Amino acid sequence: MATLGLVFLGSVAWRQLGTSDEERAAQSYRSARYCMLGDEDGAAMHRLRTRVVTSDLDPTHRDWPLRCGPTLQRLRGQLDNLLIERREACDDSVCCPGDTTCDGLARLRDEVDNAFAFSVYPKRLGFDPTDFLLAGQELGFETGEVPDGGPKPPPVSEMIAPVNMKPLFTGEYLRLLTDPDGEDGLDLLFYEHEERYTLCRLDLSRQAVARCRALGENIPVGLAGEILAGEDGAPRRLYAQGPGTGIGGWHHGVFDVAAGRELTPVAFRPQGGFVWRDGTTSWLGMEPPMDLWSVFVQPTSAPAPPPMPLALGEVSAGPHLVHDTLVWTVPKSGGRHQVWVRSLDKRDDAVTLGEPEAIGEITSPDQEPDFELCRTKDALALMVHGRRSRAGLQAQLYFRTDEGWHDPVPVHVNARRAGFTCQGATATVSWIWGAEEKPIGEVTPWDTELPAVEGLYHVERLRCRPEGCQRNAASLKLKRFNKRSRYVAGDLGASTVVMWRSPKGDVRMKVAPLEQLETTDSTPLFDDSEHDGFGWDLERDPIFGRAGTMVVLASRQSEGGLATETYAVVVDARGKVRPVQVETVPDDT
């Protein structure tokens, strides 16, 4: 890497008839400030970073911030002259004691040096635009005037920023619980160990609005919890666990979220539950003292019937109550597993178990299968994950309609992760994977950070119905922050979205129909946490596909760094980005 040289015009007196040295320096300062930061309101770092992103995306502004260099050089020379004049009264090397103007000029000169270094090499650390602004304001150089004839800044990139948003949750949450079956919204339940739950209901139908409240203190908070699935219109139920007098010193219970009261205690942590529209609640758990897997039912107003035991035999995965269906696998030879299901049927006030049914096989020799579920408008879609390896994921997709369970649809994903969402009549599996990835620029042994990378990335999508899947794909070139930085693809119905962190640090996206993705321009979404934005490479900040949108959770440290704030952003199929507006409602007592 070439050595960075900073060359200034030196201590030359810039004489202009009828204008004082201070006025000329103030004019140069305003020209430099305008070139670097523009004249709009807002945090200085955000104003700078939006222009960093614009200059990277728009070829007509690639000469920025280098175009600001001559103005910064002129300002540096004028500040030198002013400092010489102020220091002549002392020993010519330091400001006189108590000369605050001299101290301010020296401080601004240091900031100009940092700004000039940034203009030559924008990756260079040390330039803080806030300090640059404050140093000019303290000298009275800043008037808000837009100077004539000087170099102009690039236009700002429209990036969302936390300064204009309200967090869903503030605190170090251990886990985030979500409703597994919502269609036009999303329930997010945050909790900290031995603190209160905070529930946020996100309305995604028209506006991105979340109503958040702390749940009652009587709901225990421990190391486990679960929002139970339910029919459309069913009341929300929560399994919660916390310190108490039960087995092992823990109390387990199922709670009515709206009323904040316990419906019934349970002996052990359930493996899934389901709620009907009338409030009847079921869950799968073990019945003491024999610890038999059983289905428990709590009617709305009647006494609970006896648990319904399950005779499962040897099980390799599960059982789980997935929606209103029990799912488990039975081991077979050669690393194969047979998938079994059994429905929960409700007629009037009675819940009964349907007959067990083997619906297919999955191969997973090295680990137990797991299950994922979503609902289309007329079917239940169950994806059973099998073998995971560097080569990808093998799975089977099962649909249950009014006609019963259909033959399995094989799914091969050549990535370790994939999004699984339902919308309309289809279930969609989407993923992205990189090929031909290589470092950008020269990598030297003394580099302390991973280099940025570029490569060819393939976005793939399976649109699935009971009769089979249609596969589509697109390829695009991306430049990313480094090889470990995450990148994701998701389905938005008519469009596909790809998100990644650029070498500049900001998070960008492309939103377009899959066949147009390669030629669609990149759009900045938000800046990184190092520049007053949000974290991106945090695995705990998930991304959800829901109601034809993508909901992105993003975290940052609060002012002072005492807590973590979690925000939400919604992206729709048109590429419109909406920060989630948070309405805080009174806490439960």
Side-chain angles (χ1 to χ4, degrees), residues 465-525:
R465 299 189 181 210
E467 55 269 22
C469 296
Q470 179 181 0
R471 192 183 195 105
N472 298 97
S475 299
L476 63 158
K477 293 181 179 180
L478 296 178
K479 295 181 179 180
R480 301 196 299 115
F481 189 71
N482 60 45
K483 65 180 181 180
R484 294 181 183 173
S485 182
R486 68 172 173 168
Y487 55 105
V488 298
D491 179 60
L492 298 177
S495 298
T496 296
V497 58
V498 176
M499 295 180 181
W500 72 100
R501 189 180 180 192
S502 83
K504 298 295 184 183
D506 61 303
V507 174
R508 300 178 186 178
M509 67 177 186
K510 284 175 174 269
V511 179
L514 192 59
E515 62 276 9
Q516 300 174 18
L517 203 58
E518 181 180 6
T519 57
T520 297
D521 291 337
S522 302
T523 302
L525 183 58

Side-chain angles (χ1 to χ4, degrees), residues 296-526:
F296 299 80
V297 177
Q298 179 66 52
T300 304
S301 56
M308 294 178 283
L310 306 174
L312 301 178
E314 184 180 4
V315 171
S316 55
H320 295 283
L321 181 53
V322 180
H323 202 257
D324 60 351
T325 301
L326 295 164
V327 183
W328 70 97
T329 61
V330 173
K332 301 187 73 175
S333 61
R336 295 174 299 130
H337 305 260
Q338 191 168 48
V339 181
W340 286 81
V341 296
R342 194 173 184 182
S343 64
L344 270 62
D345 302 318
K346 182 176 182 295
R347 292 185 179 179
D348 299 325
D349 294 329
V351 176
T352 58
L353 289 173
E355 292 297 320
E357 181 180 357
I359 59 173
E361 288 187 0
I362 188 75
T363 300
S364 185
D366 304 322
Q367 61 193 67
E368 67 180 41
D370 57 11
F371 314 103
E372 198 170 355
L373 173 102
C374 69
R375 288 188 300 168
T376 71
K377 66 179 183 180
D378 50 15
L380 189 71
L382 172 69
M383 187 158 68
V384 182
H385 298 175
R387 182 203 304 261
R388 290 180 185 266
S389 66
R390 290 188 176 182
L393 165 69
Q394 301 286 346
Q396 296 276 10
L397 187 55
Y398 301 87
F399 287 90
R400 189 195 72 190
T401 65
D402 291 341
E403 301 170 357
W405 288 95
H406 294 249
D407 292 337
V409 178
V411 172
H412 172 67
V413 175
N414 49 344
R416 292 186 63 84
R417 298 181 182 180
F420 180 51
T421 58
C422 286
Q423 186 179 4
T426 62
T428 300
V429 184
S430 53
W431 67 97
I432 183 172
W433 58 284
E436 305 172 20
E437 202 170 63
K438 60 182 181 180
I440 299 175
E442 180 183 0
V443 180
T444 61
W446 52 85
D447 284 335
T448 59
E449 297 182 351
L450 292 173
V453 294
E454 61 183 346
L456 185 66
Y457 298 83
H458 305 286
V459 182
E460 303 201 39
R461 182 186 68 199
L462 293 175
R463 289 251 198 259
C464 301
R465 299 189 181 210
E467 55 269 22
C469 296
Q470 179 181 0
R471 192 183 195 105
N472 298 97
S475 299
L476 63 158
K477 293 181 179 180
L478 296 178
K479 295 181 179 180
R480 301 196 299 115
F481 189 71
N482 60 45
K483 65 180 181 180
R484 294 181 183 173
S485 182
R486 68 172 173 168
Y487 55 105
V488 298
D491 179 60
L492 298 177
S495 298
T496 296
V497 58
V498 176
M499 295 180 181
W500 72 100
R501 189 180 180 192
S502 83
K504 298 295 184 183
D506 61 303
V507 174
R508 300 178 186 178
M509 67 177 186
K510 284 175 174 269
V511 179
L514 192 59
E515 62 276 9
Q516 300 174 18
L517 203 58
E518 181 180 6
T519 57
T520 297
D521 291 337
S522 302
T523 302
L525 183 58
F526 53 75

